[in-house]
Amino acid sequence: MEYFEILGVSREASDDEIKKAYYKLAARYHPDHLSHEQATQFLPYFLKITKAYLTLKDRETRDKYIRECTLGIFEEEQEKDRKNSRKKLFEQGMRYLLADPIRASKYFRKAFLLDQNNQTFKSYYGLSLILSGRDSTGLDLCLEAAVNEESSEHYFNLAKCYAKLGKYKEALNSTKKVLKLDRNHARAKAFMDELKNHTGIRQFFNRN
């Protein structure tokens, strides 16, 4: 809630209107006018009222506050737009991941570049690179995402990367990690069965 709302005045309010609004609220919520129990309850609100008044009573600090609010609202709207853009790009990538991983990688790359701290974007971008057979650095991206943000989804993507690259033992270990994090992960269970039947890893299962 912004300071003008706290005092119940508009942004065009005069100095006198702001002052009157503050004193009206202060008369109602000042600790000296309340019982001990009420004073404890309303103290945080009274402090907000006072901070709002101290900021708005002075024309210079008021103008600065308005500029900051305006900038904050603008930046918030921009971030919402960016977030929606990232979400749509990621959804498009998921749509094409299995049927056309090369196309999917283009969407995942754009989403990842817009938010490189998003480990899910990183993981799926890496997976799409591996599935499209175009860039082995995809494994590094998947591994980094799994390490940075441990989740069954990230480890499952990592397992699929390893399997695609023929690293079946590593794929098995990653799949076990998935099931450790989520024992009911149906796709991981099915993938484990696929790995058990693969000649490149059958001996590894026999030893265990």
Side-chain angles (χ1 to χ4, degrees):
M1 181 183 292
E2 67 167 40
Y3 290 162
F4 290 99
E5 290 181 74
I6 291 174
L7 296 183
V9 297
S10 70
R11 289 196 175 193
E12 292 73 35
S14 65
D15 294 350
D16 190 52
E17 288 174 322
I18 290 172
K19 183 177 180 180
K20 286 180 179 179
Y22 168 69
Y23 279 105
K24 182 178 179 180
L25 290 169
R28 182 176 179 182
Y29 294 107
H30 195 289
D32 291 346
H33 303 155
L34 302 172
S35 66
H36 176 72
E37 183 178 340
Q38 290 175 321
T40 301
Q41 179 183 353
F42 289 108
L43 180 59
Y45 183 59
F46 175 72
L47 293 176
K48 287 182 181 180
I49 294 170
T50 303
K51 186 174 182 180
Y53 174 62
L54 292 174
T55 300
L56 302 182
K57 73 172 185 174
D58 180 79
R59 177 62 61 176
E60 184 177 343
T61 57
R62 187 193 316 175
D63 289 344
K64 180 181 177 183
Y65 172 73
I66 290 174
R67 288 195 300 271
E68 289 175 349
C69 284
T70 302
L71 179 61
I73 292 171
F74 175 70
E75 290 179 341
E76 185 177 328
E77 290 300 318
Q78 279 196 320
E79 178 54 30
K80 285 181 181 178
D81 290 340
R82 286 194 291 266
K83 185 176 182 180
N84 287 333
S85 296
R86 295 192 296 264
K87 181 180 178 182
K88 289 178 181 178
L89 287 167
F90 180 73
E91 289 173 348
Q92 285 291 87
M94 292 297 289
R95 178 182 175 186
Y96 292 108
L97 181 59
L98 298 180
D100 191 348
I102 292 179
R103 187 174 182 179
S105 69
K106 295 177 181 178
Y107 288 111
F108 288 135
R109 180 178 182 274
K110 291 177 181 177
F112 173 62
L113 290 177
L114 286 172
D115 185 0
Q116 297 188 35
N117 291 320
N118 188 307
Q119 303 305 317
T120 299
F121 293 170
K122 181 184 295 183
S123 178
Y124 277 96
Y125 177 40
L127 175 61
S128 66
L129 291 176
I130 294 297
L131 293 180
S132 62
R134 295 184 305 127
D135 194 339
S136 61
T137 60
L139 179 62
D140 295 332
L141 291 171
C142 275
L143 182 58
E144 185 178 330
V147 171
N148 290 343
E149 187 177 278
E150 190 174 80
S151 75
S152 57
E153 183 177 21
H154 296 161
Y155 273 101
F156 187 58
N157 287 349
L158 181 61
K160 288 190 286 185
C161 284
Y162 279 132
K164 180 69 175 179
L165 295 172
K167 299 182 177 185
Y168 299 108
K169 182 177 179 179
E170 290 85 350
L172 172 65
N173 290 334
S174 293
T175 306
K176 286 181 177 179
K177 183 68 174 182
V178 175
L179 294 173
K180 184 177 180 180
L181 293 169
D182 179 7
R183 62 182 180 181
N184 296 317
H185 198 293
R187 289 183 299 155
K189 289 180 179 179
F191 194 59
M192 179 74 81
D193 290 336
E194 290 181 27
L195 290 173
K196 287 180 179 179
N197 293 321
H198 198 284
T199 55
I201 200 171
R202 193 173 296 158
Q203 290 183 345
F204 179 75
F205 273 100
N206 291 336
R207 290 199 303 271
N208 289 277

mmCIF file of all heavy atoms in Angstrom, residues 1 33 50 71 130 142 149 192-193 199:
data_model
loop_
_atom_site.group_PDB
_atom_site.id
_atom_site.type_symbol
_atom_site.label_atom_id
_atom_site.label_comp_id
_atom_site.label_asym_id
_atom_site.label_seq_id
_atom_site.Cartn_x
_atom_site.Cartn_y
_atom_site.Cartn_z
ATOM 1 N N MET A 1 0.853 -1.193 0.000
ATOM 2 C CA MET A 1 0.000 0.000 0.000
ATOM 3 C C MET A 1 0.890 1.245 0.000
ATOM 4 O O MET A 1 1.758 1.392 0.836
ATOM 5 C CB MET A 1 -0.911 0.007 1.229
ATOM 6 C CG MET A 1 -1.838 1.209 1.296
ATOM 7 S SD MET A 1 -2.851 1.233 2.802
ATOM 8 C CE MET A 1 -3.906 -0.174 2.524
ATOM 9 N N HIS A 33 -3.561 7.219 22.853
ATOM 10 C CA HIS A 33 -5.019 7.281 22.840
ATOM 11 C C HIS A 33 -5.665 5.896 22.918
ATOM 12 O O HIS A 33 -6.882 5.783 22.832
ATOM 13 C CB HIS A 33 -5.520 7.986 21.568
ATOM 14 C CG HIS A 33 -4.962 9.368 21.406
ATOM 15 N ND1 HIS A 33 -4.839 9.977 20.165
ATOM 16 C CD2 HIS A 33 -4.472 10.250 22.309
ATOM 17 C CE1 HIS A 33 -4.326 11.183 20.324
ATOM 18 N NE2 HIS A 33 -4.081 11.367 21.616
ATOM 19 N N THR A 50 2.843 7.479 10.246
ATOM 20 C CA THR A 50 3.834 8.511 10.530
ATOM 21 C C THR A 50 4.879 8.592 9.433
ATOM 22 O O THR A 50 5.265 9.692 8.998
ATOM 23 C CB THR A 50 4.520 8.215 11.886
ATOM 24 O OG1 THR A 50 3.523 8.128 12.909
ATOM 25 C CG2 THR A 50 5.518 9.311 12.237
ATOM 26 N N LEU A 71 8.334 4.889 -11.284
ATOM 27 C CA LEU A 71 9.363 4.022 -11.858
ATOM 28 C C LEU A 71 9.144 2.581 -11.431
ATOM 29 O O LEU A 71 9.268 1.649 -12.223
ATOM 30 C CB LEU A 71 10.753 4.485 -11.418
ATOM 31 C CG LEU A 71 11.940 3.650 -11.921
ATOM 32 C CD1 LEU A 71 11.980 3.670 -13.439
ATOM 33 C CD2 LEU A 71 13.246 4.186 -11.343
ATOM 34 N N ILE A 130 21.004 -31.683 -26.536
ATOM 35 C CA ILE A 130 21.467 -33.075 -26.619
ATOM 36 C C ILE A 130 20.567 -33.894 -27.534
ATOM 37 O O ILE A 130 21.047 -34.658 -28.382
ATOM 38 C CB ILE A 130 21.514 -33.710 -25.215
ATOM 39 C CG1 ILE A 130 22.573 -33.032 -24.344
ATOM 40 C CG2 ILE A 130 21.773 -35.210 -25.312
ATOM 41 C CD1 ILE A 130 23.984 -33.169 -24.860
ATOM 42 N N CYS A 142 22.520 -29.211 -18.257
ATOM 43 C CA CYS A 142 21.641 -30.090 -17.475
ATOM 44 C C CYS A 142 22.263 -30.437 -16.123
ATOM 45 O O CYS A 142 21.575 -30.452 -15.100
ATOM 46 C CB CYS A 142 21.350 -31.374 -18.249
ATOM 47 S SG CYS A 142 19.993 -31.230 -19.407
ATOM 48 N N GLU A 149 19.830 -26.705 -8.427
ATOM 49 C CA GLU A 149 18.462 -26.815 -7.906
ATOM 50 C C GLU A 149 18.039 -28.277 -7.992
ATOM 51 O O GLU A 149 17.518 -28.730 -8.995
ATOM 52 C CB GLU A 149 17.516 -25.915 -8.709
ATOM 53 C CG GLU A 149 16.110 -25.820 -8.146
ATOM 54 C CD GLU A 149 15.263 -24.854 -8.959
ATOM 55 O OE1 GLU A 149 15.375 -23.630 -8.726
ATOM 56 O OE2 GLU A 149 14.520 -25.314 -9.849
ATOM 57 N N MET A 192 13.963 -46.520 -16.244
ATOM 58 C CA MET A 192 14.830 -47.488 -15.567
ATOM 59 C C MET A 192 14.705 -48.855 -16.223
ATOM 60 O O MET A 192 15.714 -49.550 -16.442
ATOM 61 C CB MET A 192 14.450 -47.577 -14.090
ATOM 62 C CG MET A 192 15.279 -48.574 -13.287
ATOM 63 S SD MET A 192 16.963 -47.993 -12.962
ATOM 64 C CE MET A 192 16.659 -46.912 -11.554
ATOM 65 N N ASP A 193 13.477 -49.238 -16.567
ATOM 66 C CA ASP A 193 13.263 -50.525 -17.236
ATOM 67 C C ASP A 193 13.945 -50.542 -18.607
ATOM 68 O O ASP A 193 14.504 -51.560 -19.012
ATOM 69 C CB ASP A 193 11.758 -50.793 -17.403
ATOM 70 C CG ASP A 193 11.080 -51.080 -16.077
ATOM 71 O OD1 ASP A 193 11.785 -51.508 -15.140
ATOM 72 O OD2 ASP A 193 9.863 -50.866 -15.971
ATOM 73 N N THR A 199 21.889 -53.303 -23.743
ATOM 74 C CA THR A 199 23.091 -54.138 -23.685
ATOM 75 C C THR A 199 24.287 -53.406 -23.099
ATOM 76 O O THR A 199 25.173 -54.016 -22.503
ATOM 77 C CB THR A 199 23.473 -54.625 -25.105
ATOM 78 O OG1 THR A 199 23.619 -53.476 -25.960
ATOM 79 C CG2 THR A 199 22.403 -55.530 -25.669
#
